[in-house]
Amino acid sequence: MNDTIAPKAGREGLRERKKRLAEQAITDAALRLFAEKGYYETSIQEIADAVMMSSRTFFRYFDSKEDILSGAIRAVQREGLRLAAECESNEPLKIALRRVFLHLAELYQQQRDGLLARYRIAKQSSALASLFLYAMLETEPELCAALAARLEPEPDRSELRFLVALHMTALRVTIEEWLENEESPPLSSLLEQRLIF
Amino acid sequence: MNDTIAPKAGREGLRERKKRLAEQAITDAALRLFAEKGYYETSIQEIADAVMMSSRTFFRYFDSKEDILSGAIRAVQREGLRLAAECESNEPLKIALRRVFLHLAELYQQQRDGLLARYRIAKQSSALASLFLYAMLETEPELCAALAARLEPEPDRSELRFLVALHMTALRVTIEEWLENEESPPLSSLLEQRLIF
DNA sequence: ATTATATTGTCATTGAATGACAAAAGTCAA
DNA sequence: TTGACTTTTGTCATTCAATGACAATATAAT
């Protein structure tokens, strides 16, 4: 039961590795079951059985069944947020927005398969679709705050909010179209055509 | 146990009236309890107790606890959709969109109090906020379909979808600002300033 | 090896949601 | 009004999501 070694002193231990392994196993099993029998027809007990853990332990990895779906999206969004915090202090607002959203597009692009699997499941019900959507939109306020804090001529709050929301909408609609068509151009180039604000 | 009479032959019976009364009573009691003790701290049993019905009966009026929050918004959105189906066949797309969304704004305006109560509760958690949001956004596809069906030079689907989403975003952001400020101008005039696409 | 710490399983509990069925209330015609 | 018919409601039972408590186990550090 060793593989890539090294529970070294100050490094990464076995625990962390097993943790991520288990997380991945749960996600894989859950997405597979959701796709096979439907989200609501799959109980947490079944997911837990599939990866041979108790259902109680499942809840130590995910806050809820829904979390399996939205977690990946939230991770991407958080990454985009991190980038927004890095903008130059004198960078014009629209340039900064463009940079952040094109970067987000590239992150999503790298996850097309996982995203598509989740998107298909989310479309099984409106409750799930709402989660999917919200995982994106919920970062709007934080994104506004990050931008407002770092941009030089502090932008008008109301205007900023609107602009961020418009960009997020462009991203959302573009992602949907990109996922729905099998052979579509790269997400980032699709988005570029939309960012005309 | 009579009041405004008339379970007349082809008209509205006592049942319908009691039904709407009960619905209203549930909504009122629930919103009050949510505001007082919090959404998650209020059980359906408590709501049912407050209006003296069994919890089983509650579920015959609302599909879920969340339904109390999002139902009102969905009703408004559906009304807006109805209007979209009425547009002239030769009306330009942007004119039709403007008409539909300004009408929606007026509908929301008439419900400011109820909407504000729900908005405050929705902000108690992201799961609730997502429902609130989705109650608006879920009508986008239907709105697209309604417009695409009736407009003369059938608009490009992709472009239509994007435009509808942008309008919905403008409505959403404007509603939020309008609700957050006590003394703010009428929603429809706020929205008008945003609809510049 | 022996501590200390983190992870997991078992058990119990709460609350949302739904099906089945009998009791009660509303509707309609004569 | 009575009496048949339909709708609404309450009771009961059940499933499943989610969470707290605590003991058993696995990992980490010395």
Side-chain angles (χ1 to χ4, degrees):
Chain A
M1 202 178 277
N2 59 9
D3 194 4
T4 25
I5 47 103
K8 267 279 181 61
R11 275 283 140 208
E12 176 186 75
L14 177 55
R15 277 193 191 141
E16 331 261 321
R17 218 175 332 136
K18 283 181 88 172
K19 199 163 197 162
R20 269 182 299 110
L21 256 301
E23 214 168 291
Q24 190 60 50
I26 292 174
T27 303
D28 291 347
L31 290 183
R32 182 176 54 75
L33 287 168
F34 293 166
E36 279 173 12
K37 354 186 319 176
Y39 177 87
Y40 292 105
E41 286 70 36
T42 304
S43 73
I44 285 173
Q45 187 59 57
E46 288 174 290
I47 300 171
D49 286 348
V51 295
M52 292 186 296
M53 61 170 56
S54 74
S55 62
R56 187 64 184 86
T57 300
F58 169 91
F59 282 108
R60 291 193 176 101
Y61 283 92
F62 294 91
D63 286 345
S64 66
K65 207 164 137 184
E66 298 156 347
D67 202 20
I68 303 174
L69 283 186
S70 55
I73 293 151
R74 270 206 296 274
V76 170
Q77 290 292 123
R78 241 178 293 125
E79 171 65 15
L81 210 60
R82 199 188 53 72
L83 195 79
E86 281 176 5
C87 61
E88 312 272 333
S89 190
N90 56 357
E91 193 178 23
L93 174 56
K94 300 202 174 184
I95 304 295
L97 277 173
R98 196 183 164 78
R99 186 172 49 79
V100 169
F101 278 87
L102 285 177
H103 181 67
L104 272 173
E106 269 160 34
L107 291 178
Y108 280 114
Q109 199 153 333
Q110 291 162 13
Q111 312 226 354
R112 190 176 202 273
D113 292 349
L115 199 64
L116 184 55
R118 287 172 173 81
Y119 180 68
R120 286 187 173 138
I121 294 159
K123 290 213 297 185
Q124 288 178 11
S125 90
S126 63
L128 295 183
S130 80
L131 283 174
F132 198 85
L133 208 67
Y134 192 70
M136 285 194 181
L137 301 200
E138 73 177 338
T139 52
E140 282 183 14
E142 297 159 79
L143 185 51
C144 286
L147 288 170
R150 303 205 100 253
L151 290 181
E152 193 34 61
E154 177 138 348
D156 173 58
R157 286 307 179 109
S158 170
E159 186 62 16
L160 173 60
R161 193 166 171 178
F162 187 40
L163 262 180
V164 165
L166 289 180
H167 278 74
M168 200 66 85
T169 299
L171 176 60
R172 166 174 71 84
V173 172
T174 309
I175 285 180
E176 284 169 10
E177 283 185 2
W178 172 66
L179 287 178
E180 281 163 16
N181 300 315
E182 204 42 60
E183 298 285 339
S184 67
L187 175 60
S188 52
S189 70
L190 285 175
L191 181 61
E192 210 150 8
Q193 297 171 357
R194 298 237 130 116
L195 292 187
I196 49 163
F197 309 116
Chain B
M1 201 176 273
N2 59 11
D3 194 2
T4 25
I5 45 106
K8 267 276 180 62
R11 276 285 139 207
E12 176 187 75
L14 178 54
R15 279 194 190 138
E16 331 261 319
R17 216 174 333 136
K18 283 183 89 171
K19 199 163 198 163
R20 271 182 298 110
L21 256 301
E23 213 167 292
Q24 190 60 50
I26 293 174
T27 303
D28 291 347
L31 290 182
R32 183 176 53 74
L33 287 169
F34 292 164
E36 279 173 11
K37 352 186 322 177
Y39 177 86
Y40 292 105
E41 287 69 36
T42 304
S43 71
I44 286 174
Q45 187 58 58
E46 286 174 290
I47 300 172
D49 286 347
V51 295
M52 292 185 298
M53 61 171 55
S54 75
S55 62
R56 187 63 184 86
T57 300
F58 169 91
F59 282 108
R60 292 195 176 101
Y61 283 92
F62 294 90
D63 286 345
S64 67
K65 206 165 140 184
E66 297 155 348
D67 202 22
I68 303 174
L69 284 186
S70 55
I73 293 151
R74 269 206 295 273
V76 170
Q77 291 292 125
R78 242 178 291 128
E79 170 66 14
L81 210 59
R82 199 189 53 73
L83 195 78
E86 282 177 5
C87 60
E88 311 272 334
S89 190
N90 57 357
E91 193 177 23
L93 174 56
K94 300 204 174 185
I95 304 295
L97 276 173
R98 197 183 164 78
R99 186 172 50 78
V100 169
F101 278 89
L102 285 176
H103 181 68
L104 271 173
E106 268 160 35
L107 291 178
Y108 280 114
Q109 199 154 330
Q110 291 162 13
Q111 312 227 355
R112 190 176 202 274
D113 292 348
L115 199 63
L116 185 55
R118 287 172 172 82
Y119 181 68
R120 286 187 173 137
I121 294 158
K123 291 213 298 186
Q124 288 178 9
S125 88
S126 63
L128 295 183
S130 78
L131 282 174
F132 199 84
L133 207 66
Y134 193 71
M136 284 196 182
L137 300 200
E138 71 176 340
T139 52
E140 281 184 14
E142 297 157 79
L143 185 51
C144 286
L147 288 171
R150 302 206 100 255
L151 290 181
E152 193 34 59
E154 177 138 348
D156 173 58
R157 287 305 179 110
S158 170
E159 186 61 18
L160 173 60
R161 193 167 170 177
F162 187 41
L163 262 180
V164 166
L166 288 180
H167 279 74
M168 199 66 86
T169 300
L171 177 61
R172 166 173 72 86
V173 171
T174 309
I175 285 180
E176 285 170 10
E177 283 184 5
W178 173 66
L179 287 177
E180 280 163 16
N181 300 315
E182 205 40 60
E183 297 286 339
S184 68
L187 175 59
S188 52
S189 71
L190 285 175
L191 181 61
E192 211 151 7
Q193 297 170 357
R194 299 237 129 118
L195 292 187
I196 49 165
F197 308 118

